[in-house]
Amino acid sequence: MTFTYEALPMRVVFGAGSLRRLPEEAERLGLRRLLVLSTPGQRALAEHAAGVLDDACAGMFTGARTHVPIEVADTARRAAREANADGCLAIGGGSTIGLGKAIALASGLPVISVPTTYAGSEMTTVWGLTENGRKRTGRDRAVLPRSVLYDPELTLCLPVDVSVTSGFNAIAHAVEALYAPDASPIVSLMAEDGVRSLAAALHAISADRLDLDARTDALRGAWLCGACLGATTMSLHHKLCHILGGTFDLPHAATHTVLLPYVAALNLPAVPTAEHALRRALATDDVPKHMARMSVGLGAPRSLAELGLTGNEFDEIVIQAQSQPYANPRPVTTEALRCLLMDAFDGTLAP
Ligand code: NAD
C-alpha cells in the first residue's frame, strides 16, 4: 500500500443548537464585521444569524444563486467592500457557500460557514464561478472556510425530496473518494462511515422530516462525505455531473442522484476494495441496483429523461467528457460512456 495524505486546516463545531456559538467562533478568528450571505429563500435564517452575531454583523447580502454567476459574485464582493467587512458568514447550501468562496477568492476575506444542506462544499478548497454560461472551477486554500458550524436543527426545514437528493450528492463524494487516485485509509474510513450514516438517516427523514436524531446522523454523514471530497480527486461521476449541470442546466443534486448508480456499475467491478466498503455501508450485495432503488423508493427522480434531457445530447456529453483528461479507475471508451448515458437516461436500474 502506498498513499499520500494531507489534512486541510479546518475547524468543525457540530451539534444541535451550535448556531448559538457563532459569536464565539467569530471572536476566536478576531472577526468583528461579518457580511452575512444567503439565498433569497433563506433570508429569514440569515436575519436570525445576523441577530445572533449582533454587533459583529456588518451587513447582509441575500442574493446568492446556484453556480455563482459572476454578476452575483461581483455585486457581493462590492457589498463586502462597502460594508468594510472583515469576513463573511455563508449560511445555506452549496450556492451560498460558493458565494462566500468567490468573495474569499478575490479578497482573501475569511469565511465562516453554516451548511444547511448535505452538499459538502464547506469542506473543500474548490471554488466555482459561472460566466457566459460556462462554469469555471479551481482550487485555492484561501476559499476554505476557517470555521464550519454544523447545526442539525437548521436542516429540519429542508424538504424531504431535497434532503434525499442532497444526501445522494454527498454519498457520491464518498463513492468516488473510495476509488480516487489519492485515496488513503483515513479517507476510506470516512467514506464508508459517511455512506452508512447518510443512508440510514435518509430513510428515517423520509418517514419523519423533523426527526432530529436522523437529521444529526445525516449531517454527520454529510460532513464525512464532504471531507472526502476535500481530500481527493474526483472521477468520471463528478465530471459528468459538471457537464450535465454546466451545459444542460440539469439540477445539481438530482443529477448526482440519478447518475451515481450507473457510474458505480461501470467502475466498481474494477475496484473490489471500494465495492466491499460500499456493500458493508449499504448492507447489500448489489451496490448500483441498491442505490438506484433506494433513491427512487425515497421519491427521487429515476432517469436523466425525467430531469429534462432529450436523448440528443449524448454526442456532446461524450465529446466534453473526453476533451480533458480526468481520473477514473477504469479507462472509459466512447461506447461504454454512451451505454452508461443511455441506461441513466432510461433509468434501467430502477424499473
Ligand atoms: P443550494 O445551495 O442551491 O440549495 C438549494 C435550495 O435549497 C436553495 O433555494 C436554498 O435556499 C434552499 N435551502 C438550503 N438549505 C435549506 C434548508 N435547510 N431548508 C430549506 N431550504 C433550504 O443547493 P446545494 O445542492 O446545497 O448546492 C449546490 C451548489 O453547490 C452547486 O452550485 C454545486 O456546484 C455547488 N457545490 C460545490 C462544491 C464544492 O466543493 N465547491 C461541493 C458541492 C456542491
Side-chain angles (χ1 to χ4, degrees):
M1 177 190 296
T2 57
F3 63 88
T4 305
Y5 173 68
E6 190 178 351
L8 289 172
M10 54 179 63
R11 176 177 164 90
V12 169
V13 176
F14 191 99
S18 56
L19 185 67
R20 287 194 287 276
R21 294 177 59 187
L22 202 46
E24 261 175 70
E25 288 306 297
E27 198 177 322
R28 216 188 125 264
L29 292 164
L31 301 177
R32 296 194 173 79
R33 296 188 59 77
L34 286 153
L35 181 70
V36 178
L37 309 172
S38 78
T39 57
Q42 288 187 292
R43 188 186 175 88
L45 178 62
E47 281 168 352
H48 175 66
V52 173
L53 279 172
D54 198 13
D55 286 350
C57 173
M60 291 180 45
F61 179 88
T62 58
R65 277 178 34 212
T66 192
H67 299 316
V68 198
I70 187 76
E71 311 74 38
V72 174
D74 285 343
T75 312
R77 288 164 173 167
R78 202 164 44 245
R81 278 197 303 277
E82 285 171 5
N84 198 18
D86 59 5
C88 293
L89 168 68
I91 185 160
S95 300
T96 302
I97 295 166
L99 182 61
K101 288 175 160 183
I103 296 174
L105 186 68
S107 63
L109 288 184
V111 178
I112 298 179
S113 160
V114 181
T116 63
T117 69
Y118 307 131
S121 176
E122 68 282 355
M123 285 290 118
T124 83
T125 60
V126 179
W127 55 266
L129 280 168
T130 304
E131 193 167 7
N132 300 326
R134 283 190 82 90
K135 186 167 178 179
R136 282 187 297 131
T137 60
R139 283 183 189 258
D140 195 314
R141 287 256 178 143
V143 309
L144 185 72
R146 305 287 172 88
S147 180
V148 180
L149 283 85
Y150 284 106
D151 186 342
E153 285 178 1
L154 306 182
T155 61
L156 292 173
C157 52
L158 194 64
V160 169
D161 58 336
V162 184
S163 303
V164 170
T165 54
S166 190
F168 269 90
N169 183 185
I171 288 172
H173 306 330
V175 169
E176 294 232 287
L178 281 164
Y179 55 61
D182 38 11
S184 66
I186 191 166
V187 168
S188 298
L189 286 171
M190 291 193 296
E192 181 174 337
D193 199 45
V195 173
R196 183 178 290 112
S197 195
L198 262 164
L202 292 180
H203 282 107
I205 288 167
S206 80
D208 177 6
R209 179 172 66 85
L210 302 177
D211 180 338
L212 187 59
D213 288 340
R215 289 295 187 178
T216 303
D217 288 345
L219 202 56
R220 176 181 164 283
W223 161 53
L224 291 169
C225 294
C228 291
L229 178 69
T232 54
T233 306
M234 294 289 115
S235 297
L236 176 67
H237 173 76
H238 282 72
K239 173 90 179 171
L240 289 177
C241 288
H242 189 87
I243 297 167
L244 290 166
T247 305
F248 300 103
D249 212 23
L250 261 54
H252 180 78
T255 304
H256 272 276
T257 308
V258 167
L259 204 59
L260 182 63
Y262 300 92
V263 180
L266 178 77
N267 279 338
L268 292 185
V271 280
T273 313
E275 182 167 33
H276 285 133
L278 292 169
R279 284 183 177 184
R280 286 191 299 270
L282 295 168
T284 179
D285 286 338
D286 189 334
V287 173
K289 206 177 266 181
H290 180 88
M291 288 194 298
R293 293 185 177 186
M294 177 182 153
S295 62
V296 172
L298 294 176
R302 56 183 277 281
S303 67
L304 293 178
E306 258 181 59
L307 296 183
L309 226 57
T310 64
N312 296 324
E313 304 87 346
F314 296 166
D315 287 342
E316 174 63 22
I317 298 168
V318 171
I319 289 168
Q320 282 199 36
Q322 295 188 329
S323 66
Q324 283 168 359
Y326 54 89
N328 203 57
R330 283 182 83 167
V332 184
T333 61
T334 302
E335 189 52 31
L337 201 46
R338 285 191 72 88
C339 284
L340 185 159
L341 289 168
M342 271 189 291
D343 285 345
F345 181 78
D346 291 330
T348 53
L349 284 170

